[in-house]
Amino acid sequence: MDKPQSKPEEQQNMNNASLSFKGFARRVDHVPKQDSNELHSLPAPLGAFDVPLPPDYSYQVASCEPELSDRKPQHEQEVSKKLNDREEDKDKAAEHSLYNQYEEKIRPCIDLLNSLRTLGIGKDLMLPAIAVIGDQSSGKTSILEALSGVALPRGNGIVTRCPLELKLKKITTPQEWKGVIHYRNMEIQLQNASEVEKAIRKAQDIVAGTSGNISEELISLKIWSPHVPDLTLIDLPGIARVAMGNQPQDIGQQIKILLKKFTGCKETINLVVLPCNVDIATTEVLKMAQEVDPTGERTLGILTKPDLVDKGTEETILKIMRNEVIPLRKGYMIVKCRGQQDIYNELSLASAIQQERQFFEIHKHFSILLDENKATIPHLANKLTNELVGHIIKTLPTIENQIHDALQQSMQELQKYTEGTPKTDSEKVIFLAGLIKVFNEDISQTIYGKESLFGNEVRLFTKIRREFQIWEAMLLEISAKVQEVIHNRVCKYEDQYRGREFPGFVSYWTFEDLLKEQIAKLEKPAIVVLNKVICLVEEKFLEFANKHFANFHNLNKAAKARIGCIREKQATTAKKRIQTQFKMERIMYCQDNIYTDDFKAANAASCISKDAKRKQLSFGPVSSQGPSFVQKIVSHTKAYFTGASKRLSNQIPLIILSTVLHDFGDYLQISMLQLLQGKEDLNHLLQEDHEVANHRKLLISQIDHLNKAYQYLVDFKSL
C-alpha cells in the first residue's frame, strides 16, 4: 500500500501548531531533545507568547485536504488519519514535556525575580533586567508593542521621556487581561490594553513635565496576560541629537547619561535595536553599548525593518546575523514589526505577527534565519526569556551576597532605635526608667574606661590620656628652657642689679621671683588642657544621648540641656581648682629631703654636662659656663622646678579627671534619674519623633522583605 502523500513541511507545522492549546514559537517536529540539566536551550512555549495562525495558511490547509481525500481509497484515508493522529499525539506529548520543563526550570527563575521586585528589593539592589535602547525611529517601540501586546505612545521627537519598566507576566489559567501602572506614590488599575498608551503619556507628563524634558524617575507597567512572555523590559528614551521645542539644548547629553546609568549595570542585558537599512557600524547606540559592555557578553542585537533592505544588500544582513561584522556574544535576532502605514491601516498586533512569519517564510534570503530560530517576535521572546533566565542564574550569588549585606546593615541600623512608646502611664514610667538606666550605665562605664567599642572607636579615657601626655611633654620642655632662662637672668642680675653684695651672693627673693614667674606661665596651658578634656567628655555624653534617645526628641533635648548645664558648672569648678593649685605653687615649698635629692641629681647632671662640653672644647677657658655661683643657682632652680613639674604633671590631670569626668558623670546620672519624678512630663518626654518612627517602621519592613527575599533564594536553590 502506498503511503499517503505528505503535506508541505511548513503547512504541516502550522497545522500541528493550530491543534495545540499551548504551542511553542518554533516548529515542534524540529525540536531536539533537551537535557534536563540544560537551561539555556529550553524553548519558551507559545504559552509564553501565543501567535495565531495566519488566515491564508489556515485556508490553504483546509483546501488541500479534500483534494487528497478524492485521490485516495477509503482504507488509505483511514490509515492516513491514524498516522496523523499518532503524529498529533506525539506532538502534544512533546509539547507537554517541554511545557513541564518550562514550568520546572524557567518559571521558578522568573517568579524569583518577580518576587524580589515585588518586595522592592530592586530599589536598593540591581536585579537582572533587559534594557531596550535604540535611535529614534529604530523600531524600538514596535518591538515592545509586539512583545507586550499593547499599543505604546508614538510620535515625532522624544516619545519615551522616562524609563518605562515593562513587567510582562504570563498567566496560565484563562483570565482576562489586567494591567497596573505605578509612578511616584500612585497606582492605577487598567482594565484593558487600550488604556495603556494614555496612562503612560499621563504618567510621563506628571513625572517629566509637559515641555518635552526627560526624567530618570521610573514608571512601572505590569501586564498579566496569557499572550505575553515572562519578561521584564526597561524601555529607555531614544537617542536624540537635536533639541525640539522647549527642550534643553543638552537633551542629547542628558539622554546618554540616562542610558549609561541603566546599560552600565552588570546585571542588565542590553537589547540594542538597529534598523536593517542603516550601516550598523556607524550607529551611535551600538557604540554606546560597546562602551558599557566592551566584550559584548551582555548585548543582544535586534535588526528591524528587513522589508526596507535595498536589493543586493541582503548578504550584508546575513553576515551581521552570522556575527561576522560586529560580533556580539549573544548574537543577533531579526524581526519585522508594524510600520507606520500598518498603524494608519489599523493593523492589529496579532495580524502583524502573522504577516511577519509569512514575510520570513517566503523571503528568498531571510527564510534561513527563520529555520535557525533567529527571526520573528515569538523566537525573540523565546531568546529573551532564556537569556534572562541564564543571567538570573549567573548573578544569583551576587544577589544573595547583596541581600545578606543589606540585611545585616538594616539590622545594625535598627539596633539604634528603641521600641515605640507604651500606652499606659505605668508602662511609660518603666519604659523611661529603662531608657535612663541604659544611658546611665554607658556613662558609668565610660567614667572608668570600660565602655563598649565598635570597629575603630577609641575609648574616651584613651583620648583624655593623650591630652595629659601632651601636658607632661610641655612640662619637660619648659623645665629644659628654665635652666637657660635662669642662667641668663642671674647673669643679668650680676651685671645690672648687684649692689653691696660680694660676688657669688644672689638674693633668695630674686631666686623665688624667677621660679614663680616660670611656674605661673604653666597656668594657661593647664586651662587649655582642661577645656580640651571637657569637650571630649561632653562630646561622648552627647553621643550617648543621641544613641539612646534619638527617637524621643524632647527626652533627647532634656538630656542635652542637662549635659550642657553640668558641663558649664564643672568647667568653672575645675578652672577654680587649677587656679587654686597654682596659687599654692606660689608658696614655694618642698620637703627638705625631697629637695635635697633633687638638688643632688641636678648638680650631678650639671657636672656631667660641663665635662662633656670641656671635652668638646679642649682649648681656651670654658667661659660660657659663667661663674660657679651661677651654675649653683641654676642647679637650685632646676631642682625645685623638677619637683614642681612632677607635682603638676599628676595634680592637674587629677583635678580634671575628678571634676570634669567623674563628678560630671555622677551629677548627670543623678539629674537624669530626677526626670522620673515628673510624671506629668511623661507624655512630653516620650513623644516619639515622627520621622524616626517612620524610619523604624521602614527598617522593620525592609528587614522583613530582605528575610523573605533571602528565603526565596534558599527555596529556589533547593529546587
Side-chain angles (χ1 to χ4, degrees):
M1 179 174 59
D2 296 332
K3 293 183 179 180
Q5 184 179 351
S6 62
K7 300 178 182 180
E9 182 180 347
E10 294 300 325
Q11 291 185 3
Q12 182 63 46
N13 291 334
M14 298 303 292
N15 191 31
N16 289 337
S18 66
L19 294 172
S20 171
F21 72 98
K22 286 183 179 178
F24 289 78
R26 58 176 66 189
R27 282 162 286 181
V28 294
D29 53 337
H30 288 286
V31 175
K33 293 183 179 180
Q34 302 290 335
D35 184 353
S36 60
N37 295 322
E38 182 66 25
L39 181 62
H40 294 280
S41 60
L42 284 176
L46 198 65
F49 198 91
D50 279 337
V51 181
L53 287 176
D56 51 345
Y57 272 84
S58 301
Y59 173 78
Q60 291 174 11
V61 172
S63 62
C64 289
E65 290 180 353
E67 295 178 6
L68 291 174
S69 299
D70 293 340
R71 296 176 182 177
K72 297 176 184 177
Q74 183 66 29
H75 68 279
E76 289 188 6
Q77 293 183 26
E78 292 176 359
V79 172
S80 177
K81 184 176 182 301
K82 290 180 180 180
L83 290 174
N84 287 337
D85 290 342
R86 288 178 184 176
E87 290 298 321
E88 290 173 4
D89 291 341
K90 289 180 182 179
D91 292 340
K92 290 181 179 179
E95 286 183 6
H96 184 69
S97 174
L98 289 170
Y99 179 77
N100 287 341
Q101 291 185 50
Y102 177 86
E103 289 297 315
E104 290 174 4
K105 294 186 177 181
I106 294 181
R107 174 72 70 180
C109 289
I110 302 296
D111 288 345
L112 170 65
L113 198 62
N114 289 336
S115 298
L116 295 179
R117 282 199 173 90
T118 301
L119 290 173
I121 302 301
K123 295 178 181 177
D124 304 311
L125 310 176
M126 291 304 300
L127 296 178
I130 301 175
V132 186
I133 58 175
D135 289 326
Q136 290 183 15
S137 304
S138 61
K140 181 168 60 74
T141 300
S142 298
I143 292 176
L144 293 172
E145 287 182 338
L147 289 170
S148 64
V150 297
L152 300 175
R154 288 175 173 270
N156 296 323
I158 303 173
V159 179
T160 303
R161 297 188 290 118
C162 302
L164 174 63
E165 185 181 44
L166 196 57
K167 300 178 181 179
L168 307 179
K169 176 69 174 177
K170 175 182 169 49
I171 48 179
T172 56
T173 57
Q175 189 175 341
E176 292 184 0
W177 185 96
K178 185 175 73 169
V180 177
I181 187 168
H182 293 267
Y183 55 94
R184 301 263 168 106
N185 295 322
M186 301 177 65
E187 177 180 305
I188 300 173
Q189 301 289 333
L190 305 176
Q191 300 304 319
N192 57 71
S194 62
E195 300 177 4
V196 170
E197 181 180 359
K198 182 178 180 181
I200 293 175
R201 289 187 183 276
K202 181 179 179 181
Q204 289 191 147
D205 287 344
I206 293 175
V207 172
T210 58
S211 300
N213 293 329
I214 65 168
S215 171
E216 294 185 359
E217 192 172 337
L218 193 70
I219 297 173
S220 178
L221 173 64
K222 191 168 184 179
I223 293 174
W224 291 264
S225 171
H227 308 298
V228 295
D230 279 307
L231 282 176
T232 294
L233 305 164
I234 301 176
D235 183 22
L236 298 171
I239 295 178
R241 295 168 181 80
V242 180
M244 299 178 64
N246 296 326
Q247 291 176 344
Q249 293 302 311
D250 64 341
I251 188 70
Q253 188 63 26
Q254 290 184 27
I255 292 176
K256 290 179 182 178
I257 293 173
L258 175 61
L259 296 184
K260 289 182 179 180
K261 177 181 177 181
F262 282 86
T263 59
C265 297
K266 293 182 179 180
E267 296 79 9
T268 302
I269 297 174
N270 297 326
L271 195 63
V272 181
V273 181
L274 305 161
C276 286
N277 58 340
V278 300
D279 182 3
I280 68 166
T282 63
T283 56
E284 193 168 2
V285 66
L286 191 54
K287 290 180 181 178
M288 184 180 298
Q290 289 174 318
E291 289 178 8
V292 297
D293 180 27
T295 62
E297 61 183 357
R298 296 188 294 108
T299 304
L300 174 65
I302 308 296
L303 299 184
T304 61
K305 305 181 181 181
D307 53 319
L308 300 182
V309 174
D310 293 334
K311 289 184 179 181
T313 61
E314 294 87 356
E315 189 60 33
T316 302
I317 302 300
L318 292 176
K319 286 183 179 180
I320 295 173
M321 294 297 297
R322 296 188 193 111
N323 236 1
E324 296 176 0
V325 180
I326 299 180
L328 298 175
R329 292 281 185 89
K330 298 187 182 299
Y332 292 84
M333 298 286 291
I334 187 168
V335 297
K336 179 185 177 298
C337 302
R338 293 189 304 173
Q340 196 60 46
Q341 189 61 45
D342 295 329
I343 296 171
Y344 289 149
N345 296 336
E346 298 183 352
L347 180 69
S348 68
L349 292 169
S351 299
I353 290 175
Q354 295 172 5
Q355 290 187 7
E356 178 192 40
R357 185 175 184 87
Q358 294 177 29
F359 172 83
F360 285 106
E361 283 179 335
I362 64 176
H363 198 283
K364 179 179 179 181
H365 300 277
F366 299 156
S367 59
I368 189 174
L369 300 177
L370 184 61
D371 296 334
E372 295 173 355
N373 297 337
K374 293 182 178 180
T376 71
I377 288 293
H379 285 142
L380 173 61
N382 174 28
K383 173 76 171 176
L384 293 179
T385 301
N386 285 331
E387 290 291 349
L388 182 59
V389 169
H391 209 56
I392 293 171
I393 293 175
K394 181 180 178 181
T395 56
L396 273 184
T398 302
I399 295 174
E400 185 174 2
N401 290 336
Q402 288 178 336
I403 291 175
H404 179 267
D405 293 344
L407 182 59
Q408 292 296 109
Q409 183 179 351
S410 297
M411 292 180 69
Q412 288 179 2
E413 190 173 354
L414 184 61
Q415 290 177 355
K416 300 177 184 178
Y417 299 91
T418 58
E419 297 180 0
T421 307
K423 303 299 181 184
T424 65
D425 288 345
S426 59
E427 290 176 338
K428 288 179 181 179
V429 172
I430 296 173
F431 181 73
L432 179 58
L435 292 176
I436 294 175
K437 178 176 178 291
V438 293
F439 172 78
N440 284 352
E441 285 176 350
D442 274 352
I443 297 294
S444 180
Q445 292 291 316
T446 301
I447 289 174
Y448 297 100
K450 298 179 180 180
E451 72 266 29
S452 300
L453 299 178
F454 300 96
N456 296 324
E457 290 181 338
V458 180
R459 280 201 167 97
L460 174 62
F461 213 99
T462 304
K463 295 179 181 179
I464 294 174
R465 187 180 292 277
R466 291 172 183 171
E467 296 300 328
F468 292 160
Q469 289 170 349
I470 294 173
W471 166 247
E472 183 181 18
M474 187 185 304
L475 289 173
L476 292 174
E477 183 182 352
I478 293 177
S479 178
K481 290 181 178 180
V482 162
Q483 300 178 48
E484 182 180 351
V485 170
I486 294 299
H487 180 278
N488 294 334
R489 295 292 293 274
V490 171
C491 291
K492 184 177 181 180
Y493 173 83
E494 177 71 16
D495 294 338
Q496 293 182 242
Y497 302 117
R498 185 165 66 89
R500 325 180 34 248
E501 300 94 335
F502 290 107
F505 286 92
V506 177
S507 170
Y508 175 77
W509 306 113
T510 301
F511 163 73
E512 190 178 60
D513 289 342
L514 290 173
L515 279 174
K516 286 180 180 180
E517 179 183 337
Q518 298 305 314
I519 292 175
K521 291 180 179 179
L522 295 173
E523 183 174 341
K524 187 175 180 180
I527 299 299
V528 171
V529 174
L530 164 66
N531 292 332
K532 288 183 177 180
V533 171
I534 201 166
C535 284
L536 290 173
V537 175
E538 181 185 31
E539 180 182 349
K540 191 65 177 180
F541 290 174
L542 289 173
E543 178 184 322
F544 288 143
N546 289 328
K547 172 184 175 182
H548 296 291
F549 310 140
N551 51 342
F552 301 101
H553 176 73
N554 295 329
L555 178 58
N556 195 7
K557 186 177 179 181
K560 289 180 177 180
R562 282 161 171 73
I563 291 171
C565 181
I566 297 173
R567 184 241 193 245
E568 293 300 323
K569 180 180 177 182
Q570 294 309 112
T572 301
T573 301
K575 184 176 181 180
K576 288 181 179 179
R577 290 184 180 179
I578 289 174
Q579 290 171 341
T580 300
Q581 180 66 35
F582 279 96
K583 180 180 178 182
M584 290 188 294
E585 292 295 337
R586 289 197 292 271
I587 296 175
M588 298 291 295
Y589 176 80
C590 184
Q591 294 286 7
D592 290 345
N593 59 335
I594 295 175
Y595 181 79
T596 300
D597 291 340
D598 289 339
F599 178 74
K600 289 179 181 179
N603 215 16
S606 178
C607 291
I608 293 173
S609 176
K610 186 186 298 183
D611 290 341
K613 289 190 176 184
R614 184 178 291 113
K615 290 180 181 179
Q616 293 176 359
L617 303 172
S618 56
F619 56 88
V622 190
S623 59
S624 62
Q625 297 302 309
S628 59
F629 75 89
V630 175
Q631 296 304 319
K632 189 174 182 180
I633 196 66
V634 168
S635 295
H636 277 291
T637 306
K638 182 178 180 181
Y640 187 85
F641 200 87
T642 298
S645 296
K646 290 179 180 178
R647 190 164 53 247
L648 290 171
S649 179
N650 288 320
Q651 193 65 15
I652 297 302
L654 283 173
I655 291 172
I656 294 174
L657 287 174
S658 173
T659 310
V660 304
L661 181 61
H662 287 259
D663 290 350
F664 189 172
D666 290 341
Y667 293 151
L668 178 59
Q669 292 178 67
I670 295 171
S671 179
M672 292 301 296
L673 289 172
Q674 291 173 348
L675 290 173
L676 296 172
Q677 298 176 355
K679 294 184 178 180
E680 65 280 359
D681 296 329
L682 279 176
N683 292 331
H684 176 72
L685 291 174
L686 295 180
Q687 184 179 355
E688 191 170 23
D689 186 82
H690 182 68
E691 291 184 4
V692 173
N694 288 339
H695 189 57
R696 186 180 63 246
K697 291 178 181 178
L698 181 63
L699 283 173
I700 293 173
S701 175
Q702 187 174 355
I703 290 172
D704 181 56
H705 288 168
L706 288 168
N707 276 322
K708 288 180 180 178
Y710 202 78
Q711 189 59 47
Y712 285 156
L713 288 172
V714 172
D715 294 343
F716 176 78
K717 289 163 65 177
S718 65
L719 293 176

